[in-house]
Amino acid sequence: MYSENNKEIQKMITNYFEGIYYGDTEKLETVFHENAELHGDIGGAEYRKNVPDYLEGVKGRRSPKELGESFNMKTLGIDIIGNIAMAKLQLPMLGYNYFDYLSLAKIDGRWKIVGKIFAHME
């Protein structure tokens, strides 16, 4: 069961990475639970959004792919306990070096991001 959940989570993370890299908000919408919240620290500035506001921001910016950036996003770790999990990711893009912690829950048989916290580290 762990192996199956790990594969499902990796697939969801791939969709998350691709949604961000290509600016594909439809793909991103599939990985977030509708009530997820995003909190972060970007160079000391607080960032807080809900999913619709986050997706609008992604729509309104040029994607890393459009900017000619190489795809360097990677999974640093996944911890699964039953139907919950945490994923630690690194997303160097748009001039930042982001580290994300995603809170995940298996809801109606599908893994979803129910919370995202992140920071930019130099």
Side-chain angles (χ1 to χ4, degrees), residues 61-73:
R61 71 174 184 221
R62 292 183 65 200
S63 72
K65 172 69 174 168
E66 289 173 321
L67 294 169
E69 294 182 11
S70 57
F71 186 100
N72 294 317
M73 300 173 190

Side-chain angles (χ1 to χ4, degrees), residues 18-37:
E18 289 177 356
I20 292 171
Y21 183 73
Y22 294 106
D24 185 341
T25 55
E26 289 179 14
K27 190 172 269 194
L28 279 173
E29 193 170 15
T30 68
V31 301
F32 281 97
H33 184 274
E34 61 190 11
N35 295 323
E37 292 189 6

Side-chain angles (χ1 to χ4, degrees), residues 31-102:
V31 301
F32 281 97
H33 184 274
E34 61 190 11
N35 295 323
E37 292 189 6
L38 298 82
H39 297 266
D41 175 5
I42 304 173
E46 181 183 355
Y47 176 103
R48 184 173 29 174
K49 290 192 177 180
N50 60 27
V51 174
D53 290 344
Y54 169 70
L55 295 174
E56 275 303 308
V58 172
K59 281 182 192 175
R61 71 174 184 221
R62 292 183 65 200
S63 72
K65 172 69 174 168
E66 289 173 321
L67 294 169
E69 294 182 11
S70 57
F71 186 100
N72 294 317
M73 300 173 190
K74 60 186 172 184
T75 302
L76 301 176
I78 298 173
D79 190 12
I80 305 168
I81 300 174
N83 288 323
I84 62 168
M86 287 294 294
K88 180 180 179 183
L89 314 173
Q90 183 179 13
L91 297 89
M93 61 174 202
L94 305 174
Y96 295 95
N97 185 27
Y98 291 112
F99 287 87
D100 291 2
Y101 285 90
L102 304 180

Side-chain angles (χ1 to χ4, degrees), residues 9-27:
I9 290 170
Q10 285 289 1
K11 182 177 179 185
M12 188 270 314
I13 289 171
T14 297
N15 287 335
Y16 173 72
F17 284 157
E18 289 177 356
I20 292 171
Y21 183 73
Y22 294 106
D24 185 341
T25 55
E26 289 179 14
K27 190 172 269 194

